[in-house]
Amino acid sequence: MIVDAHQHYWQPSRGDYGWLKDAPESLRRPFLPPELHAQRKAAGVKHTVLVQAAPTEEETRFLFELARHDGAVAGVVGWVDMEGDDVGARIDALIRDGGGLLCGLRPMAQDIADPDWLANPSLDRAFDCIQDCGLTFDALATMTQLPALLRRLRRHPHLNVVLDHAGKPAIGDGRFDQWTSWIDELAQHPQLHCKLSGLLTLLHEPVDQDAIEPYVADLFAHFGPERLMWGSDWPVLTTHADFGQWLDMALTLTERYAPGSQPDVFAANAVGFYALDIDLAAQDARAERTP
């Protein structure tokens, strides 16, 4: 069974996806559940984690509504105003409105100009609340922001954090050393996990498995199969590959660098990290009984 640890839906007419104006034209349209259902079923993906794509709490509530009509969604990673004086009350309201769906929070740090924002002491209260509420934190950060993330990990050593898209290495430019040195430091923090996601869209055309393989190998070397989780990053993925193509590539590379670990990387790690209400053993047993 496969759990997609990172996918999106969006409806541009809502008006709060500011980043889309600079995105490839193919992404500037609605991407909603009916379009993904067939692809997900064909790929054998049973459950997903739906991740915010707009910096508003209203969009998080929009995702809750979509999730209630999409039985595959096991959890939602939302957005909250982390700099608000009432951040604790805002998080409590999202937890209440999510009715068990909210599993984590993600600011869109990559779009914030200040490279030190994640380490800003003004965010301490927000991170305390995230931790106290038993939520996780998705770090959507660029390489220039990884030093600040490292300082945040030192300040909140018990916060459950996952690095989205491997910290966005400069794969398209062939740069490796700076990224891997930061990954080496970040991986020393046992509460930090990492998503095996978003790598293909960092490439210039055409898609080339050989180009991402050194980065995937380095992720397994640093985090091991116990702290990596696969995500499709659909529909951003569609600018470079289809759902099944990326899944097959990731399965192949995982078997190459961590033989026998696919059940962890493609399901168990996401279920454990996000505390998803999924009984993997029961579902595997049912699958074995199905002719």
Side-chain angles (χ1 to χ4, degrees):
M1 193 190 68
I2 297 173
V3 176
D4 182 349
H6 195 107
Q7 62 119 135
H8 308 284
Y9 293 132
W10 59 69
Q11 173 53 275
S13 65
R14 296 187 57 261
D16 50 3
Y17 305 91
W19 63 275
L20 273 178
K21 69 180 185 298
D22 299 317
E25 186 175 357
S26 64
L27 296 180
R28 300 178 209 162
R29 65 172 182 84
F31 286 90
L32 297 168
E35 185 170 351
L36 183 58
H37 284 170
Q39 298 178 62
R40 197 164 53 200
K41 183 177 181 180
V45 174
K46 186 75 172 177
H47 300 285
T48 73
V49 175
L50 184 55
V51 180
Q52 63 80 225
T56 66
E57 291 161 25
E58 290 76 14
E59 195 245 2
T60 298
R61 292 183 170 89
F62 169 69
L63 297 182
F64 291 155
E65 287 304 309
L66 292 181
R68 292 183 181 108
H69 294 91
D70 182 353
V73 175
V76 172
V77 175
W79 186 95
V80 73
D81 181 3
M82 294 185 63
E83 296 180 292
D85 291 337
D86 59 347
V87 63
R90 289 176 177 272
I91 292 174
D92 287 343
L94 287 175
I95 292 172
R96 181 190 66 239
D97 294 348
L101 284 167
L102 188 70
C103 58
L105 291 166
R106 182 178 88 151
M108 301 182 80
Q110 69 172 11
D111 296 330
I112 296 173
D114 181 4
D116 294 321
W117 184 79
L118 282 168
N120 195 319
S122 68
L123 301 180
D124 285 357
R125 175 193 258 177
F127 280 105
D128 288 342
C129 291
I130 291 170
Q131 185 172 290
D132 292 345
C133 290
L135 298 174
T136 61
F137 180 75
D138 266 56
L140 177 63
T142 62
M143 281 202 296
T144 60
Q145 296 168 320
L146 296 184
L149 176 60
L150 183 61
R151 296 200 298 277
R152 175 56 60 188
L153 291 171
R154 291 169 179 160
R155 190 173 299 160
H156 279 84
H158 302 296
L159 182 73
N160 286 321
V161 183
V162 61
L163 180 63
D164 287 354
H165 314 321
K168 296 207 160 185
I171 301 177
D173 299 327
R175 288 185 285 157
F176 186 85
D177 291 346
Q178 182 184 15
W179 170 80
T180 194
S181 67
W182 282 117
I183 291 297
D184 184 60
E185 288 201 55
L186 288 164
Q188 303 306 312
H189 293 260
Q191 84 276 26
L192 178 70
H193 291 64
C194 184
K195 287 186 181 177
L196 182 59
S197 64
L199 296 179
L200 294 184
T201 52
L202 299 173
L203 287 170
H204 304 312
E205 296 288 357
V207 169
D208 182 0
Q209 179 174 312
D210 291 342
I212 70 167
E213 185 166 349
Y215 297 86
V216 174
D218 201 65
L219 290 174
F220 276 104
H222 280 101
F223 291 101
E226 303 85 7
R227 288 192 286 155
L228 286 173
M229 60 186 84
W230 176 79
S232 69
D233 197 26
W234 187 92
V236 182
L237 170 70
T238 62
T239 62
H240 284 67
D242 64 36
F243 196 96
Q245 182 181 5
W246 165 231
L247 176 58
D248 289 344
M249 192 180 299
L251 285 165
T252 297
L253 291 172
T254 297
E255 186 60 24
R256 184 172 300 164
Y257 291 101
S261 69
Q262 290 178 348
D264 294 326
V265 176
F266 291 85
N269 293 345
V271 171
F273 178 80
Y274 286 118
L276 304 178
D277 186 17
I278 299 173
D279 188 337
L280 291 173
Q283 295 204 22
D284 288 343
R286 283 198 297 271
E288 289 176 1
R289 291 196 299 269
T290 301

